[in-house]
Amino acid sequence: MTDHFQESLTFFLPQVALIILAAPLAAKAAVRLGQPKAVGWIAAGVLLGPSLFGKITPGLFGILFRPAEVGLTSPEVGEKLLTEILIHSEWGLILLLFQMGAQFNFSHLWPKRSGDSAPLFKRSLAISLVGIAAPFTLACLFARPLHNLVGANVPYGPFVLFLGISMSITALPILAHIMEELGIHRTRIGTATITSGSSDDAAAWIFLAAITNVVMANFNIWVFAPKLFLLFGVYFPAMIFVIRPLLRRWLVGALLRNKGKLSLEDLGLLLGCVLLSGWITHLLGIFAIFGAFLMGAMVSGTGRVRRELNRHLGLVTSLFLPVFFTSTGLRTDIGGLNNVNGYLLLAAVLVIAVGGKFACAFAAWAGKGGFSIRESLCIGTMMNCRALMELVALNIGRELGVVPPTLFTALVLMALITTAMTKPLLVWLAPGTELEPYLCKNAALPKAVPVQA
C-alpha cells in the first residue's frame, strides 16, 4: 500500500501543479476577453485534455494524465490517481457550495410590501416557472432522438431526467458575479433576473436532489421514498427550525467574542458541521454537496459571517475550485463529437438549452406591465447563463452512469458557450433599455433608479 501511495504521489503532484499553474493564466485571459474566470478554468481543462494537448503530444499527455495507459504504472495506481483528483476537486466543490449557500439571498424569494415590488415579484416568478418548465419540456420531447444519437447503453428514464434538469439550470453565482461586475444587479431588469434565478436555482437543487435519490435507488419506490421522506420531511425541517437558530446564535456570540472576527477554532467547528451535513445527505441517498449547500443556507443572512467566510475560504478559488473546473474539462473529449451524430447532438443540445431559456423572454414581455422586447431578451440572455451549476449536475450524472461521454462533452460545451455568450449579447441588446448607461460607453442616459425586490 505504501508503494502504491508513493507511486501515485509521483504522478499526482505534477498533475495538480500543472492544473493550478494553467488555471490562473486561463482565468486572466478570460477576464481580458470580458468573460468570467470560470470560462477560463473550463477552457484550460479542455485545452489540457484529450481535445488538444492529447492530440498534439499524445506521449506527454499520457505520461502526465494517463500513466497507466502508457504502461508507466499499474492499473490500480491509475485508478487511485483518478480517485485522488476527484477527491481534491470534491473538496473545492463542497467548500464552494457551502459559500454559495451562505451567500444565497432568500429575501429574493418573497416580495416586500412596497411600491412596485409585488408586481415585479409576480413577474419574476412567472419568468422562473417558464425558465424551468420550457427547457425541461423541450428536453423530454427530444429525449428519444438524442438517446438514439448518443447510442450508449444508458437507461432511458434516468437519461430523460438528467437531460431535463441539465437544460433547466441557471448558474446564479456566476450570473450574479457578472451582474455585479457590470453594475446592473440593482436595476429593475437585474432585480427581476436575480429573483427569477434564485427561484430557479432553489428549485433546481430540490429537483436535482430528488432525481439523484430516485436514480441511485434504481427507481425502487421502497428504497427512495423513505430516504426522500427523511430528507425533505425530517432533515430539512430540523435544519431550518432547530440547527439554523442555534448556529446563528453561536456565530453571533463567536463574532462578539473576537471583535467581529471568526477565529480559526470557530471556523474549524463550522467546517466540521458542513462535513457532517454532507455525510448525512450522502447517507440519505444524495451527494455530500447538497448537505454543504444546505449548511451554508442555514448561516445566510448574516453579512459579517459571509465576509469572514470569504476571508478565510479564499483558498477555494485559488486552489480547489480551479481543479474542479479544470478536471471537468480534462474529461471532455471534443474529438468524440467529430462525426455527423456528434455535431447533431451538440446542435440539438444548444437549440434546446438556449431556446428553452429564451422562453423566459416571453414570460417577461407578455401581459400588462411587462418589459419591452429588448429588456425581455436581456432577461432571457442572463437566465441562459449556466456554468457552475451545470457542471455540478453533469458530474453527478456522469458518476451515476446516466450521462454518457458524448453527451457529457456536448453539455460541457453548452455550459461554456451559454456562459461566454452572456456578456457580449447583453452589450448588444442594451441600447434602448435601462441597461444602456451601464453597458454602452457612449450612452448619455441617466442611470436607472434601483428597485428593491
Side-chain angles (χ1 to χ4, degrees):
M1 184 179 294
T2 302
D3 291 340
H4 279 177
F5 172 76
Q6 294 298 333
E7 191 177 355
S8 65
L9 196 64
T10 302
F11 296 98
F12 175 76
L13 291 178
Q15 283 182 5
V16 176
L18 183 59
I19 290 172
I20 292 174
L21 288 171
L25 296 177
K28 286 183 179 180
V31 171
R32 289 194 175 213
L33 293 173
Q35 297 295 336
K37 291 180 180 180
V39 170
W41 288 333
I42 302 170
V46 173
L47 296 177
L48 285 174
S51 303
L52 182 66
F53 186 39
K55 290 285 190 300
I56 297 174
T57 57
L60 184 57
F61 174 78
I63 292 171
L64 284 171
F65 294 108
R66 305 285 191 271
E69 295 179 9
V70 296
L72 290 178
T73 187
S74 64
E76 292 82 8
V77 172
E79 186 66 28
K80 185 178 178 62
L81 273 170
L82 178 60
T83 302
E84 287 170 346
I85 288 287
L86 290 175
I87 290 175
H88 194 74
S89 64
E90 190 73 10
W91 264 109
L93 197 55
I94 286 172
L95 293 176
L96 175 74
L97 289 173
F98 170 59
Q99 280 188 292
M100 282 173 53
Q103 294 174 2
F104 198 93
N105 191 349
F106 289 92
S107 66
H108 289 305
L109 298 181
W110 50 79
K112 295 177 182 177
R113 299 179 179 276
S114 60
D116 298 329
S117 60
L120 184 62
F121 176 78
K122 292 177 182 177
R123 177 74 55 176
S124 300
L125 281 187
I127 295 168
S128 178
L129 181 62
V130 172
I132 295 173
F136 197 96
T137 302
L138 282 175
C140 292
L141 290 175
F142 288 93
R144 180 59 69 181
L146 287 179
H147 190 263
N148 294 335
L149 276 176
V150 170
N153 188 22
V154 177
Y156 184 67
F159 178 88
V160 173
L161 291 176
F162 268 90
L163 182 65
I165 196 66
S166 65
M167 296 298 179
S168 306
I169 283 168
T170 293
L172 185 64
I174 299 296
L175 176 59
H177 174 74
I178 293 173
M179 293 172 68
E180 288 180 14
E181 185 179 291
L182 297 174
I184 63 175
H185 57 295
R186 296 186 68 82
T187 62
R188 187 168 178 263
I189 292 174
T191 301
T193 304
I194 290 178
T195 306
S196 305
S198 298
S199 305
D200 203 321
D201 235 13
W205 277 108
I206 293 171
F207 292 155
L208 190 57
I211 289 171
T212 300
N213 192 295
V214 171
V215 172
M216 291 181 77
N218 200 24
F219 286 79
N220 186 336
I221 189 171
W222 301 110
V223 175
F224 72 74
K227 288 185 176 181
L228 283 180
F229 171 74
L230 288 173
L231 183 69
F232 294 110
V234 178
Y235 189 58
F236 276 23
M239 289 289 284
I240 294 169
F241 298 111
V242 180
I243 302 300
R244 178 178 171 82
L246 291 176
L247 267 178
R248 289 171 66 88
R249 187 180 305 168
W250 167 63
L251 285 171
V252 169
L255 290 170
L256 288 174
R257 287 193 303 270
N258 294 283
K259 299 179 180 179
K261 302 290 184 182
L262 195 63
S263 70
L264 291 178
E265 292 77 13
D266 291 326
L267 178 66
L269 289 172
L270 185 57
L271 292 181
C273 294
V274 172
L275 296 179
L276 185 60
S277 179
W279 176 66
I280 292 173
T281 55
H282 172 74
L283 292 179
L284 292 177
I286 58 176
F287 286 81
I289 56 175
F290 294 102
F293 179 84
L294 183 60
M295 183 58 70
M298 295 305 98
V299 301
S300 68
T302 306
R304 287 184 298 174
V305 173
R306 288 200 302 269
R307 287 193 294 271
E308 283 298 290
L309 290 176
N310 289 336
R311 183 172 69 89
H312 282 295
L313 299 180
L315 185 65
V316 172
T317 55
S318 61
L319 181 60
F320 291 114
L321 190 56
V323 175
F324 167 71
F325 279 101
T326 309
S327 62
T328 299
L330 279 169
R331 290 188 285 172
T332 304
D333 186 4
I334 298 176
L337 300 178
N338 194 21
N339 53 55
V340 175
N341 282 357
Y343 295 141
L344 286 174
L345 179 64
L346 178 59
V349 163
L350 283 171
V351 168
I352 294 170
V354 176
K357 281 299 182 181
F358 268 84
C360 295
F362 178 78
W365 169 78
K368 183 179 179 181
F371 292 91
S372 70
I373 292 177
R374 291 183 78 91
E375 290 174 336
S376 301
L377 289 172
C378 286
I379 292 174
T381 297
M382 289 188 281
M383 292 292 289
N384 188 46
C385 180
R386 284 172 171 88
L388 174 66
M389 275 289 291
E390 181 73 23
L391 297 185
V392 172
L394 293 184
N395 279 280
I396 289 174
R398 186 181 176 104
E399 289 181 34
L400 292 175
V402 299
V403 178
T406 50
L407 181 62
F408 181 84
T409 297
L411 289 171
V412 169
L413 292 177
M414 181 270 286
L416 188 61
I417 291 169
T418 54
T419 305
M421 66 189 285
T422 301
K423 287 176 71 172
L425 200 53
L426 269 180
V427 172
W428 182 67
L429 289 168
T433 73
E434 65 171 336
L435 304 184
E436 184 173 0
Y438 301 88
L439 303 180
C440 302
K441 293 181 179 179
N442 298 322
L445 296 176
K447 288 197 172 186
V449 177
V451 177
Q452 297 290 337

